[in-house]
Amino acid sequence: MWQFFLSSWRSGFRNRIFLAVFVFALALVGVAYLSASFSPRQPRTVALDIGLSGLRISLILFAITLIQDLVGREIEDRSVVLTLSYPTSRALYLVGRYLGVLALTGVAALILAMLLWIAVLMSGFQYEQQFRVDLGASYWAAVVGVWVDVAVVAAFTLWIATLSTVAMLPLALGAIFAIAGRALGAVFDYVAKGADGQVDVAARYGPLLDLVRWVLPDLSRLDWRGWPMYGLLPDTSAIGLALLMAVAYSLLMIGLAIHGFSRREFS
Amino acid sequence: MASRGANFPEMAWLAQRFGLLLALLGLATYAAVLPALYAQPRPPVSPEMEVAMPRFVQVLMAAGDRYLAANLAVFRALVVSTETMAADNYRILATVQTDAAWLNPAQEDNYYLAAAILPWAGEVSATQYILRLATAARPFDPGPPFFYAFNELHFLKHPAEGAKWLLLAASHTQDTMEQLQLQQMAALWLGKGEDIELSIRLLRSMAQDSGHKSFARFLGKRADRLENLLSLDRAISRYRELTGEAPTRPQQLVDRALLSAIPVDPFGMDYVIDGNGKAQPAAAGTGRVP
């Protein structure tokens, strides 16, 4: 497993996709810095807010392109057959790859978060806002939340990559999964509270959402940015349950991936 | 052969300019069609699309990120020029800001912009919705409940309701000076209230909650005055029932034995009966309503 972890790690850094996504992420940090000028009352809060959104988007792109590159493409061009001819189990291959991707995303998250930290500090220099943002432990907690969110999406993408016979499928499904999982909380909230008096909407989508929430994890629960932005500490039990949900769902996905991959025949 | 030879240069001329001619033809047709196309009515959006779906769409367009969707909506509200806006546009602005408030109720710019622009353009209920959400989402910020209170007083003419929100604003700040000012303002507004009994109850509970002794006394006096005015008003309406006409002086109420004595104002003022037949405090001797 260790050798797969290491090879993921190395090829991740050699990869051009890594660079491309990284440049994109840097641009998003720049956008966050500029967006501060759109705020008359809270430039730093807005810079942090937009920056965390950018971090969430770029880290997802990062993770799913890595999975696609390290697992999907190896399966597609059959080079995985060579790898698996060594005396090693397929399960360890997948787990090693997955952990490698997590480590790479972790490093990317750390670098981008530090850049965002600087961008937020630099924005709104002239204006002392009434309610300050907290760039201490709460900020890093929010970044960890984003990373856990990405880990769930990466696990799902890994499963799709082991099943897929179409090159771009893991990439596309991974992105859709991430968007749907993140939007689920808002949609659920809207419908559960009666859809603002739209009784027919609540009646139509309510049962459907009750079904969907068993299939799709509510990734918005891993978004803790209210803490650094407004000092609103989320409920500890809510954090704990969200983490548990993320771990459980990732295990489920990795399990399914191993199961599917072990039965797959490469002719 | 001769005729073909004569045609040849013209053909060549056409062939050379074929692209240009095609472009000109396209341009002419485009220019001719465009006004007619714009004159066509656009199909109306179904009510469900207008009200319910856009929030989903907004979240999906922000890659499932409701905070980002909220920021995008606020940016939209911020860059819009409000100087030349018609009532319809204000309604759309109110919708955009209401959505932003729902997506991220704690967004500071959103409630601030809403409070600054919307109620003055007639969108009071949208503003109050935004401020209610912001009040709940920002327990550390006296701003939203304060603006809410102001709108209740100024636009909706509910000073007693406004006073309640002022008290809520006072509970949202750590600054004791600010707390005191807000409570004082609430006490003043309660004096203007139509619902005198509610105002008395609120003033009494405020006096009880206040750690500040002289302020508690002040609140108690305010409540006493309102109680006096209430008993005077009750006596006035009984006087009307008995005599069929309105009294002009409080002494008439005592003469009819509807009151044992004219109540004494805690702030040392006199009570008079105004043109509408309501009891009012007036500076002693002047008969002027302060």
Side-chain angles (χ1 to χ4, degrees):
Chain A
M1 187 174 94
W2 180 240
Q3 71 273 24
F4 297 122
F5 173 83
L6 272 184
S7 69
S8 312
W9 178 259
R10 287 196 201 107
S11 64
F13 278 105
R14 277 199 298 267
N15 204 324
R16 265 198 222 129
I17 299 167
F18 185 100
L19 262 173
V21 177
F22 204 79
V23 169
F24 174 72
L26 283 182
L28 284 185
V29 173
V31 168
Y33 173 73
L34 292 177
S35 70
S37 57
F38 275 98
S39 171
R41 295 266 305 163
Q42 43 160 14
R44 278 191 183 164
T45 315
V46 167
L48 179 60
D49 196 349
I50 296 283
L52 284 173
S53 292
L55 202 64
R56 269 157 69 94
I57 293 171
S58 44
L59 284 180
I60 281 292
L61 282 180
F62 195 62
I64 60 180
T65 46
L66 277 175
I67 293 270
Q68 158 74 16
D69 196 56
L70 293 175
V71 181
R73 213 163 47 91
E74 278 202 6
I75 294 175
E76 195 204 338
D77 63 16
R78 301 278 178 266
S79 57
V80 73
V81 180
L82 253 137
T83 314
L84 293 178
S85 61
Y86 290 104
T88 176
S89 88
R90 293 184 174 192
L92 288 182
Y93 165 76
L94 279 186
V95 173
R97 281 284 192 254
Y98 179 69
L99 291 181
V101 169
L102 282 198
L104 282 167
T105 8
V107 170
L110 195 70
I111 298 170
L112 290 173
M114 281 199 279
L115 289 174
L116 178 61
W117 192 78
I118 295 168
V120 171
L121 278 185
M122 272 166 51
S123 59
F125 240 140
Q126 307 85 351
Y127 181 79
E128 192 58 40
Q129 63 187 59
Q130 191 183 357
F131 303 102
R132 294 203 192 139
V133 295
D134 176 24
L135 290 174
S138 61
Y139 172 69
W140 292 104
V143 173
V144 168
V146 176
W147 182 68
V148 175
D149 166 315
V150 170
V152 177
V153 178
F156 172 82
T157 314
L158 184 73
W159 177 47
I160 298 296
T162 57
L163 294 180
S164 166
T165 49
V166 183
M168 295 306 275
L169 193 68
L171 217 56
L173 282 185
I176 291 170
F177 175 83
I179 292 173
R182 286 167 178 187
L184 182 65
V187 174
F188 198 78
D189 198 20
Y190 187 67
V191 172
K193 285 181 185 154
D196 254 6
Q198 303 255 314
V199 185
D200 54 328
V201 172
R204 198 179 317 151
Y205 295 112
L208 180 70
L209 280 176
D210 279 337
L211 204 70
V212 166
R213 75 196 167 109
W214 290 104
V215 184
L216 200 63
D218 182 357
L219 295 176
S220 66
R221 289 282 190 186
L222 294 163
D223 191 346
W224 305 320
R225 72 179 88 173
W227 192 12
M229 276 163 52
Y230 308 115
L232 300 170
L233 177 65
D235 196 27
T236 14
S237 65
I239 294 183
L241 286 174
L243 285 174
L244 259 180
M245 174 204 71
V247 171
Y249 197 88
S250 304
L251 286 180
L252 169 70
M253 286 298 124
I254 295 167
L256 285 175
I258 291 172
H259 180 74
F261 192 56
S262 312
R263 283 158 179 259
R264 190 163 173 168
E265 287 179 14
F266 300 99
S267 52
Chain B
M1 278 303 281
S3 67
R4 265 172 77 185
N7 283 339
F8 186 69
E10 285 166 34
M11 292 295 285
W13 185 88
L14 270 178
Q16 266 175 11
R17 287 163 182 78
F18 179 71
L20 191 67
L21 286 173
L22 198 65
L24 277 175
L25 180 71
L27 181 67
T29 319
Y30 181 74
V33 165
L34 208 60
L37 181 66
Y38 270 79
Q40 294 285 318
R42 288 175 200 275
V45 185
S46 75
E48 190 183 286
M49 279 297 285
E50 243 179 70
V51 187
M53 292 311 279
R55 284 187 186 169
F56 297 143
V57 176
Q58 282 177 50
V59 172
L60 287 178
M61 281 182 32
D65 190 328
R66 69 190 290 176
Y67 286 92
L68 184 59
N71 279 325
L72 294 177
V74 176
F75 292 165
R76 226 183 114 190
L78 195 68
V79 295
V80 90
S81 157
T82 53
E83 280 162 26
T84 54
M85 260 166 64
D88 270 2
N89 301 113
Y90 279 116
R91 209 170 50 243
I92 294 168
L93 181 66
T95 310
V96 168
Q97 293 210 259
T98 308
D99 285 350
W102 181 80
L103 290 163
N104 178 9
Q107 230 281 2
E108 188 175 343
D109 294 322
N110 191 43
Y111 87 72
Y112 210 77
L113 276 178
I117 295 171
L118 293 180
W120 307 95
E123 296 293 337
V124 181
S125 64
T127 318
Q128 297 301 70
Y129 172 86
I130 294 164
L131 291 172
R132 253 197 323 272
L133 291 185
T135 303
R138 298 173 67 87
F140 50 87
D141 185 358
F146 176 79
F147 290 125
Y148 191 99
F150 174 79
N151 293 342
E152 285 291 332
L153 175 78
H154 186 84
F155 295 106
L156 301 171
K157 312 290 180 206
H158 298 148
E161 184 66 17
K164 259 198 245 170
W165 283 80
L166 278 182
L167 293 179
L168 189 61
S171 74
H172 275 219
T173 174
Q174 302 295 319
D175 182 347
T176 40
M177 210 44 226
E178 201 180 354
Q179 260 173 10
L180 215 58
Q181 283 168 346
L182 286 167
Q183 285 168 344
Q184 222 151 3
M185 201 186 285
L188 276 171
W189 290 14
L190 279 175
K192 298 181 186 176
E194 309 89 54
D195 188 351
I196 296 185
E197 280 174 83
L198 170 73
S199 305
I200 293 169
R201 275 206 308 280
L202 261 175
L203 282 170
R204 292 264 182 246
S205 72
M206 279 168 70
Q208 223 163 34
D209 292 343
S210 175
H212 203 277
K213 264 192 193 151
S214 67
F215 182 57
R217 264 202 305 283
F218 168 78
L219 290 173
K221 282 182 179 178
R222 282 252 161 212
D224 291 344
R225 171 183 273 179
L226 287 183
E227 266 169 2
N228 292 345
L229 292 174
L230 187 64
S231 67
L232 279 165
D233 278 344
R234 282 186 180 146
I236 290 168
S237 59
R238 267 202 306 256
Y239 185 95
R240 273 215 198 95
E241 281 164 24
L242 287 173
T243 66
E245 53 190 61
T248 51
R249 289 175 301 114
Q251 188 56 41
Q252 287 170 292
L253 303 171
V254 182
D255 295 346
R256 278 265 173 183
L258 294 169
L259 281 175
S260 53
I262 300 173
V264 180
D265 185 57
F267 295 101
M269 292 181 129
D270 285 343
Y271 292 124
V272 296
I273 298 172
D274 68 7
N276 301 322
K278 292 284 252 180
Q280 295 281 359
T286 63
R288 205 169 54 84
V289 179

